[in-house]
Amino acid sequence: MIRAVACGLSAIFLAGALQAEPVVVRSGDHGTFTRLTVGLRTGARWEIDQIGNVARLTLDTPSITFDVSEVFSRIGRNRLKQIEQAAEGAPLMLELNCECLVTAFEEGNTLLVLDIRPGRPVVVEKVELPIVFGLLQQPDIEIPPKIKRARAPRKEAAAPVVAVEGAAIQSQVDRAIAQGLLAPTADHRAQSGLDQLQALKRVLDNRTANVRATTVIDRDLDGVLDGISAQLRQTRCVKDGRLDIGKWGDDSTYASLGEMTLQIYGEFDRLDHAAVRQLAKSQLYLGFGAEAAATLGLDPTSADQVPELASIAMVIDERPHSARPVFAGQQACEGLVAFWALLADQELADDADVEAILNGFFSLPEHLRGHLGPRAAGSLVEAGKTDMAQIMMRRATPSPVDVAARMVQAKLSEAAGNAGQEMTQLKEVISDRSDPPEAPIALIELVETAWENRLGVDEENVMLAAAFAQEFIGSDLGPRLWQAHILALALSGNFDEAFGHPEMRHATDTAEVTELRQKSLTLLVENAADIAFLVNATDQSTAHIQTLDTKLRIAVARRLQQLGFSEQAMKYLELPKSAGSPMAASLLRAQSALDAGLPRRALLELSNADGEEAQRLRAEALAMSNELVPAAALYQELGEADAAARSLWLSEEWAAIPEGASPVYREAGQLSIGLSQEPAVPDTPTLGAAQAVAETARDARTRIEDLLAVIERP
């Protein structure tokens, strides 16, 4: 008889409670292999044999019965042709439809996994392990001369056991153990569950230079691990039959509630469990979550037998979950459960099956689609699945006054970039006469949308924000509402009230408060009148200024400087070292220094600055420092001939005035050259010499008059 060598690949499966007999056999296709799972009693022993294309699974439970009715509902017959049990307690027989090998491993002492893969059974009596030990660099290492095959326990390992010693081949032994080719010794006891899977990955990734173990398992390892991960998810998915709420009622269900209620208690006031569950299902079909929960509370066994009903009741009414819904975390499943898992989790999971979620939504009756659809669509929008959310909303057909639906529509408008439509929809929610609980959130989102698009907020909503902030003080929404109120004040142009708000002045500088101050100051720079800007910009403390980002501080400083408040601008330009030295800040600091009459400080600020503006400020600082010739040279580089000529004229370098300068400077230069020539004074005073001096004086006076006329020429 041929015994199949069980694969020692350990994987993690959820250890759900073992169901009473019969034991359900579940199945799944994974591309290159087919997988079956069988529940195990704790401590049960099992054995699997294979002869040709027939495999046999034997458990040590004499009265066991296998339920194989759903095996072929998920798999084809390309690998498994037939599966059956002849009688109660008899082995489970698997007839294969391919040249395949059936391997098995136990997970968590409660689940037996059977894999059907292409291959041939291994003959244990003549086992030749496909391991190659090669010595590449250390020929002095001794390889044990003999590899013994030990007898494998049935439960712990369904594979040959090989005892190997030798430090030089330690890592390869670990790999062989992980692959089920060697049995672990006392020093190599395998972990269970996820830890073992991760350890297996690390071991197989480790390649040594001296010893190499090569098996066919290496080739398929990644696919096997992926298959295990997928199987883990599918194993714990709630079946469609337990969640198909669309089949739990019809148009006559509401009228039948009274009659179904009378059937709960029968003769001698005995509780009819089936009637309780039928009534609960009918109530859930109609959307009566609280009523269904009360009905299920009459039957103590319902929590164990039909836990999904109580979970649906919690989700329908959005009641706080006293216990985690049974379908929470199952968005990756392929069935109807994916939709209910989305409602339970309240956000879209990374591995969610969106198509399955839509199918679950479409399976609902129309009235439940209108009630639950907007909530699910909201989660899809938050995750960026706007196309799917729009499909869901088109099929949801909510009530015209459904506030949740309008909130989702507003989110869809935001995703489409239609700020005007979004604000209109949010205003409809805010002004709803029913005073919906979504109104404060809608107002917060309205203010945020107005900020992002630089739109105004009307006075009515500003006052409403103040009222909401007072109403919800002390709650989780409280801080968000007073922050929305302050931002709404700034958006409406009430900057004095915004910056004078007690929370803005005295609240602890959390990240939210800092962001709020950043937004308010940005609006102040962009929109405020000069007086309002000066009052509030100069009123900021040094501590508050230091929390602002560099870009905003430069913007505030630039406007202060333009208004002539260079000293106040310097407060905003004292940047931390972590911000570096942005060019714009250096230029503004230099300009402020020049405005304050500090040319040397301006030159220091410009020491590492480049560009045309930096050169212009540098030339201005040199001129203010009375270094006129270098200043003129910089002006000439910048192409500012008049500024260069003025500096040269003031420095009495009249001959150097460039040709391209204004005629005024050129003419003034020529006149100044004549004035610089002193008249010759004779050694002996004579009448002719006196007349010559007088003539020279008249000429000088004329030149001075001409020079003044040139300089004063408009």
Side-chain angles (χ1 to χ4, degrees):
M1 181 179 65
I2 301 177
R3 174 183 296 173
V5 178
C7 177
L9 209 71
S10 298
I12 178 169
F13 283 82
L14 296 177
L18 182 62
Q19 298 180 355
E21 294 178 345
V23 176
V24 178
V25 180
R26 295 181 172 85
S27 61
D29 266 327
H30 300 276
T32 59
F33 66 97
T34 297
R35 171 158 293 170
L36 306 176
T37 60
V38 181
L40 282 181
R41 173 177 55 82
T42 303
R45 292 182 175 274
W46 53 270
E47 184 178 45
I48 185 166
D49 301 314
Q50 181 175 349
I51 300 177
N53 65 341
V54 177
R56 179 179 64 183
L57 172 64
T58 305
L59 296 180
D60 64 351
T61 306
S63 59
I64 191 170
T65 301
F66 295 101
D67 180 1
V68 298
S69 59
E70 297 185 5
V71 169
F72 291 104
S73 64
R74 287 184 172 271
I75 64 173
R77 296 180 184 266
N78 57 323
R79 296 190 186 94
L80 181 62
K81 181 177 182 180
Q82 187 64 35
I83 180 170
E84 60 182 358
Q85 183 186 24
E88 180 180 313
L92 181 65
M93 306 300 295
L94 286 74
E95 183 180 356
L96 307 181
N97 204 18
C98 61
E99 187 176 36
C100 295
L101 174 66
V102 181
T103 59
F105 62 89
E106 185 176 333
E107 173 54 40
N109 294 327
T110 59
L111 193 67
L112 179 63
V113 180
L114 306 178
D115 284 347
I116 305 174
R117 300 174 179 275
R120 297 181 179 180
V122 178
V123 180
V124 176
E125 288 75 11
K126 296 182 180 180
V127 63
E128 294 182 4
L129 299 179
I131 302 178
V132 178
F133 296 107
L135 296 179
L136 302 181
Q137 297 179 0
Q138 300 182 17
D140 55 329
I141 295 178
E142 273 187 52
I143 301 298
K146 186 176 181 181
I147 299 178
K148 295 184 178 181
R149 179 174 59 84
R151 185 173 56 190
R154 289 184 181 179
K155 188 178 81 166
E156 287 74 3
V161 180
V162 181
V164 180
E165 298 178 356
I169 57 173
Q170 189 64 57
S171 64
Q172 295 304 309
V173 171
D174 287 343
R175 287 180 57 219
I177 289 173
Q179 295 177 1
L181 301 173
L182 303 179
T185 64
D187 295 329
H188 297 90
R189 297 191 180 277
Q191 304 175 39
S192 63
L194 184 59
D195 292 338
Q196 186 176 11
L197 180 60
Q198 298 301 327
L200 173 62
K201 289 181 177 179
R202 289 194 299 271
V203 169
L204 291 176
D205 286 341
N206 184 22
R207 298 288 191 265
T208 64
N210 298 317
V211 183
R212 182 179 297 113
T214 304
T215 75
V216 293
I217 298 176
D218 296 334
R219 181 183 58 203
D220 297 327
L221 178 63
D222 292 336
V224 171
L225 297 179
D226 292 341
I228 290 172
S229 177
Q231 180 71 9
L232 279 174
R233 294 193 296 267
Q234 297 300 327
T235 301
R236 60 189 178 94
C237 295
V238 179
K239 294 182 179 179
D240 287 355
R242 290 179 170 268
L243 299 171
D244 199 356
I245 194 171
K247 296 180 179 179
W248 294 352
D250 51 34
D251 293 340
S252 64
T253 299
Y254 183 79
S256 304
L257 289 180
E259 182 180 349
M260 285 189 283
T261 303
L262 295 175
Q263 295 175 358
I264 291 179
Y265 289 98
E267 190 177 6
F268 305 113
D269 289 337
R270 290 178 179 174
L271 184 68
D272 188 332
H273 302 287
V276 169
R277 295 168 191 174
Q278 181 58 43
L279 176 59
K281 286 185 175 182
S282 299
Q283 291 168 330
L284 291 175
Y285 172 84
L286 295 170
F288 300 157
E291 292 78 0
T295 300
L296 293 169
L298 300 174
D299 183 3
T301 66
S302 63
D304 295 328
Q305 298 297 324
V306 283
E308 61 277 356
L309 297 184
S311 297
I312 292 176
M314 285 189 291
V315 168
I316 285 180
D317 279 356
E318 291 188 270
R319 291 184 291 117
H321 300 338
S322 56
R324 190 167 185 259
V326 294
F327 36 67
Q330 298 185 29
Q331 296 183 46
C333 295
E334 298 177 356
L336 304 179
V337 66
F339 173 77
W340 294 102
L342 174 62
L343 295 179
D345 298 338
Q346 299 181 350
E347 61 180 3
L348 189 69
D350 293 337
D351 60 347
D353 189 333
V354 179
E355 183 177 350
I357 290 173
L358 286 177
N359 290 335
F361 167 73
F362 294 148
S363 71
L364 298 175
E366 183 176 352
H367 58 278
L368 283 183
R369 288 203 301 269
H371 177 57
L372 301 176
R375 287 161 51 190
S379 298
L380 292 174
V381 174
E382 292 293 340
K385 304 289 185 180
T386 54
D387 292 342
M388 296 298 181
Q390 288 174 342
I391 293 173
M392 189 172 286
M393 288 302 296
R394 283 197 293 268
R395 296 289 297 274
T397 59
S399 166
V401 296
D402 193 317
V403 174
R406 279 184 281 180
M407 288 291 289
V408 175
Q409 293 291 357
K411 291 181 179 179
L412 289 171
S413 298
E414 178 186 9
N418 193 338
Q421 182 175 339
E422 178 192 1
M423 293 188 69
T424 299
Q425 292 162 337
L426 290 172
K427 287 178 181 178
E428 291 175 356
V429 175
I430 295 169
S431 59
D432 193 285
R433 293 180 178 272
S434 65
D435 191 21
E438 294 88 352
I441 298 295
L443 181 58
I444 292 172
E445 294 185 3
L446 175 74
V447 174
E448 283 297 324
T449 301
W451 150 254
E452 292 169 0
N453 296 276
R454 299 300 192 271
L455 302 173
V457 177
D458 55 73
E459 190 63 28
E460 181 182 352
N461 284 319
V462 173
M463 296 176 62
L464 184 59
F468 276 149
Q470 187 64 32
E471 178 183 351
F472 288 90
I473 190 170
S475 69
D476 292 340
L477 272 180
R480 295 184 62 193
L481 284 166
W482 66 252
Q483 289 165 20
H485 178 220
I486 292 174
L487 186 57
L489 286 169
L491 285 164
S492 62
N494 298 318
F495 294 105
D496 292 342
E497 293 183 51
F499 286 99
H501 195 287
E503 296 291 352
M504 180 71 97
R505 285 187 170 274
H506 307 299
T508 305
D509 271 352
T510 61
E512 291 77 13
V513 174
T514 299
E515 183 182 4
L516 176 63
R517 183 174 290 108
Q518 178 95 8
K519 292 177 179 178
S520 300
L521 276 170
T522 300
L523 293 170
L524 184 73
V525 174
E526 294 176 353
N527 303 325
D530 290 344
I531 298 300
F533 171 78
L534 288 172
V535 168
N536 293 288
T538 57
D539 191 45
Q540 301 300 311
S541 67
T542 302
H544 289 162
I545 291 174
Q546 289 175 350
T547 63
L548 305 176
D549 67 32
T550 301
K551 184 178 179 180
L552 177 58
R553 292 170 72 169
I554 291 174
V556 175
R558 179 177 286 111
R559 186 167 179 188
L560 283 170
Q561 197 175 84
Q562 291 170 351
L563 294 173
F565 289 81
S566 299
E567 184 178 350
Q568 287 75 12
M570 289 297 292
K571 291 173 55 179
Y572 285 88
L573 295 173
E574 294 174 356
L575 303 176
K577 292 182 179 179
S578 59
S581 182
M583 181 71 69
S586 298
L587 297 178
L588 287 172
R589 283 196 295 266
Q591 184 65 63
S592 296
L594 290 174
D595 294 342
L598 301 171
R600 297 297 178 187
R601 180 173 178 178
L603 289 172
L604 182 62
E605 294 290 350
L606 296 168
S607 58
N608 295 319
D610 296 320
E612 185 174 328
E613 180 65 16
Q615 290 290 73
R616 186 191 63 78
L617 291 173
R618 190 175 285 112
E620 188 175 342
L622 289 171
M624 190 179 291
S625 301
N626 208 31
E627 298 182 22
L628 298 170
V629 175
L634 288 177
Y635 281 130
Q636 284 185 295
E637 290 180 8
L638 293 170
E640 298 182 14
D642 288 352
R646 183 177 184 278
S647 296
L648 290 171
W649 183 73
L650 292 173
S651 65
E652 300 184 1
E653 296 290 339
W654 301 305
I657 293 177
E659 291 295 330
S662 170
V664 173
Y665 288 109
R666 293 201 305 271
E667 189 175 346
Q670 293 298 324
L671 292 171
S672 298
I673 291 174
L675 287 172
S676 65
Q677 298 174 357
E678 297 182 1
V681 180
D683 296 335
T684 303
T686 62
L687 181 59
Q691 290 178 341
V693 169
E695 186 67 27
T696 301
R698 283 194 299 271
D699 182 62
R701 184 170 59 249
T702 302
R703 285 176 175 272
I704 291 173
E705 290 174 352
D706 292 342
L707 179 60
L708 291 175
V710 169
I711 293 174
E712 295 175 0
R713 186 183 303 163

